[in-house]
């Protein structure tokens, strides 16, 4: 009997291998028709939603995909962020939450197509628009151009990325049906030769699926590449969409809205959480789908911009404006992945346009939440009393010149005998606190165009400290290339340049190795640490309303930033990063140092006056 069982098992495995091999070899075709996309020669209307793997804990990728299916989506759109995959030049990371290939494979397993947007410029309210900070170490390099240094770095990256993604294209039996080159390039420039270089790089790297560009309606003349499908962003009038694409695609479709905005993002210091009424958005979606137009909603699920990876807007008409860590986006799935009213309305609209008899999966349940009334913060790390070895130079150096990506740098010099004067920092990027002999004198904020403070009653040979924070490099617009951070020019006192600087690097890429004391810090920024025990886990939201400005680590995960100016007053904590048993929290606060506890809420405060 044992021999029979072994023989039967061998037969089962043999046919399983045949079946698996057949599935892996299955091929589909995806082509452009005159008015629609064609999957295996039959019309396919893409009903797509944008999600980014780095903004969602890996443990929840599949769950979010299932939610997409439940709303009626058949496709996922996704950017790829160069700066997380090559954080240091020549060192690549496609592991953990950066495993973009696994993200695509899970989408396939859940029956979803993927529109891949590796650009490598993405905008996306993401630090430096997705470009890695180290490109700025060369003062003369121009990103998003034909600069040889930029193109060489770009080429190496896109070939590495293709190793991950090219095998997952529909041409290889995968589920990536289209690949976007560049991103809203018409809002930046109009160099068709540069666009064609992008095309060639993608093809040489192995991206042989359909290529397309996308631009806002007014920027399409500059941003489209002749001979390739131009998609439109931000337009949802069906007649206008069709007329515009016809104009730049030889009088025919298919018609694709690559970014349709059912919500919007938030920036620090704005007066409210940005929203789009659910009923209004649902009506627009109905019109687009009824016209047979394919659509990608940006965002279907935004998630959270964790770490120091938020970007910022800046142009000649508005001041520097960094974005919040919460990327809730008023999307159909909220920041924690819960279905909203918008989700349910969209689901009803989409169901109307699906073939008769189609049954959507059930709406996912809202996640369990918990509230922790009080977590004791009982040990403290005094930042200004725990500085490492400095870099010394006559003139202040930028973050990039210091070989530092993100975080903070403390700039220190010794003043002379002058008793008072106007301290001015030329091109401060982006937020600075001024101390004299360890006492805070003033705050400088690029958002408010503050770059100077008056110093008075100075003792002879006082120690001047300027603690500078990178609040996020610009991710959109003409100033994208002017993105070096820290003190990027010079510091002067009554017009006389100050020299002889010591610079202390505080990147906080990890919180390991910090020295703590039970004594509460009286002056300067602090890291407050707490250890707490849980009997159960669930999603929760850190309540930061009594805190100043900073960021939070929980069990080794950088959860994101907070700032008392709002609008966001909480930080989302995913249940999968909490533990039954002992948990550790570390709260860095730049402005307030008297914390002895922190609590959590069971719902977010995305806007708190």
């Amino acid at each position: 009997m044992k021999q029979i069982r072994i023989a039967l098992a061998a037969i089962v495995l043999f046919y399983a291998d045949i079946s698996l091999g057949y599935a892996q070899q299955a091929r589909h075709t995806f082509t452009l028709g005159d008015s629609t996309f064609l999957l295996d020669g039959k019309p396919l209307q893409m009903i797509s939603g944008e999600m980014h793997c780095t903004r969602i804990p890996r443990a929840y990728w599949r769950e979010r995909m299932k939610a997409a299916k439940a709303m009626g989506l058949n496709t996922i759109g996704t950017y790829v962020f160069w700066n997380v995959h090559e954080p240091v030049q020549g060192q690549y990371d496609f592991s953990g939450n950066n495993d973009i290939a696994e993200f695509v494979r899970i989408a396939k397993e859940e029956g979803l197509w993927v529109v891949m947007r590796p650009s490598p410029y993405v905008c996306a309210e993401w630090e430096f628009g997705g470009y890695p900070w180290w490109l700025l170490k060369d003062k003369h390099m121009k990103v998003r151009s034909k600069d040889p240094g930029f193109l060489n770095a770009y080429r190496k990256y896109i070939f590495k990325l293709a190793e991950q993604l090219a095998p997952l294209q529909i041409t290889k039996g995968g589920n990536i049906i289209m690949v976007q080159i560049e991103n809203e390039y018409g809002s930046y420039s109009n160099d068709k030769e540069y666009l064609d270089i992008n095309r060639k790089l993608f093809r040489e790297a192995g991206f042989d699926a359909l290529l397309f560009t996308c631009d806002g309606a007014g920027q399409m003349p500059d941003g489209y590449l002749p001979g390739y499908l131009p998609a439109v962003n931000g337009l949802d009038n069906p007649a206008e969409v069709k007329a515009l694409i016809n104009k730049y695609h030889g009088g025919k479709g298919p018609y694709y809205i690559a970014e349709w905005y059912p919500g919007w993002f938030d920036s620090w210091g704005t007066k409210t959480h940005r929203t789009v009424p659910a009923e209004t958005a649902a009506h627009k979606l109905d019109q687009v789908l009824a016209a047979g137009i394919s659509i990608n909603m940006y965002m279907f699920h935004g998630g959270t911009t964790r770490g120091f990876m938020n970007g910022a807007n800046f142009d000649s008409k508005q001041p520097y404006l960094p974005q919040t860590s919460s990327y809730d986006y008023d999307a159909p799935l909220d920041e924690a992945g819960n279905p909203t009213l918008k989700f349910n309305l969209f689901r009803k609209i989409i169901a109307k346009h699906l073939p008769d008899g189609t049954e959507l999966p059930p709406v996912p349940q809202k996640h369990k939440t918990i509230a922790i009334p009080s977590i004791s913060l009982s040990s403290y790390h005094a930042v200004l009393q725990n500085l490492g070895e400095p870099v010394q130079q006559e003139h202040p150096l930028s973050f990039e010149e210091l070989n530092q990506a993100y975080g903070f740098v403390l700039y220190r010099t010794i003043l002379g005998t002058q008793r008072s004067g106007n301290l001015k920092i030329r091109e401060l990027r982006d937020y600075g606190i001024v101390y004299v002999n360890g006492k805070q004198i003033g705050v400088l904020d690029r958002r408010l165009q503050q770059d100077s403070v008056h110093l008075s009653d100075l003792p002879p040979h006082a120690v001047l400290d300027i603690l500078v924070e990178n609040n996020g490099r610009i991710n959109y617009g003409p100033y994208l290339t002017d993105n070096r951070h820290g003190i990027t020019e010079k510091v002067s006192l009554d017009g006389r340049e100050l020299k002889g600087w010591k610079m202390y690097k505080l990147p906080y890429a990890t919180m390991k190795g910090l020295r703590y004391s039970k004594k509460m810090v009286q002056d300067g920024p602090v890291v407050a640490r707490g250890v707490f025990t849980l009997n159960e886990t669930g999603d929760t939201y850190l309540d930061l309303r009594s805190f100043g400005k900073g960021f939070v680590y929980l069990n080794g995960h950088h959860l994101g930033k907070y700032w008392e100016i709002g609008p966001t007053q909480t930080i989302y904590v995913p249940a999968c990063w909490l533990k039954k048993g002992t948990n550790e929290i570390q709260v860095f606060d730049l402005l307030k140092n008297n914390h002895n506890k922190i609590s959590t809420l069971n719902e977010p405060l995305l806007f708190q006056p």
Side-chain angles (χ1 to χ4, degrees), residues 71-274:
M71 201 178 80
L73 302 186
N74 57 23
T75 306
I76 295 297
T78 190
Y79 279 134
V80 186
F81 302 130
W82 182 358
N83 52 14
V84 301
H85 294 300
E86 195 178 0
V88 176
Q89 188 169 14
Q91 297 180 21
Y92 299 93
D93 182 4
F94 295 102
S95 63
N97 244 80
N98 297 333
D99 192 348
I100 181 66
E102 180 63 12
F103 186 74
V104 173
R105 283 190 288 265
I106 291 174
K108 183 179 182 182
E109 291 167 4
E110 295 301 325
L112 291 160
W113 302 108
V114 170
V115 173
M116 184 56 59
R117 311 174 71 199
S119 184
Y121 165 74
V122 296
C123 185
E125 292 71 61
W126 193 266
E127 225 273 345
F128 198 11
Y131 288 128
W133 67 275
W134 45 261
L135 290 171
L136 297 165
K137 290 167 70 173
D138 180 347
K139 287 185 177 182
H140 306 292
M141 180 183 289
K142 295 296 183 184
V143 300
R144 220 175 182 191
S145 77
K146 292 179 288 191
D147 181 304
F150 167 67
L151 291 179
N152 182 53
Y154 172 7
R155 179 184 182 87
K156 290 177 181 177
Y157 161 70
I158 212 70
F159 272 69
K160 279 290 183 182
L161 182 64
E163 291 176 9
Q164 301 288 319
L165 296 179
L168 305 179
Q169 296 173 103
I170 194 169
T171 52
K172 308 292 192 300
N175 57 325
I176 297 175
I177 52 178
M178 289 207 303
V179 178
Q180 179 183 303
I181 53 173
E182 246 292 344
N183 184 54
E184 297 180 320
Y185 180 67
S187 67
Y188 183 77
S189 189
N190 60 0
D191 187 341
K192 301 296 184 185
E193 184 181 359
Y194 165 72
L195 275 177
D196 199 51
I197 289 172
N198 282 260
R199 178 194 66 81
K200 290 176 181 176
L201 282 175
F202 273 53
R203 288 302 194 214
E204 290 172 14
F207 288 110
D208 58 2
L210 286 174
L211 301 181
F212 73 101
T213 59
C214 72
D215 289 279
Q219 290 79 43
M220 191 176 285
D222 290 335
Y224 89 105
L225 184 62
Y228 291 84
L229 179 69
V232 64
N233 289 354
L235 195 62
D236 54 17
N237 179 297
E240 293 178 2
V241 169
K242 290 184 176 182
L244 187 68
I245 292 176
N246 283 339
K247 182 176 181 180
Y248 296 102
H249 197 232
K252 60 183 180 180
Y255 307 104
Y256 182 42
I257 302 171
E259 291 186 13
W260 172 65
Y261 308 116
W264 202 246
F265 61 89
D266 291 332
S267 299
W268 289 116
T270 54
K271 297 182 183 297
T272 187
H273 169 51
R274 301 285 295 274

Side-chain angles (χ1 to χ4, degrees), residues 38-52:
L38 299 176
L39 177 65
D40 297 333
K42 297 177 181 178
L44 173 70
Q45 184 176 25
M46 284 190 291
I47 308 174
S48 176
E50 187 92 5
M51 295 193 292
H52 306 141

Side-chain angles (χ1 to χ4, degrees), residues 551-573:
F551 59 88
V552 180
Y553 268 84
L554 176 78
N555 294 332
H557 297 279
H558 193 317
L559 297 180
K561 300 179 182 179
Y562 64 89
W563 196 350
E564 60 188 353
I565 64 174
T568 307
Q569 297 287 353
T570 52
I571 290 180
Y572 165 57
V573 181

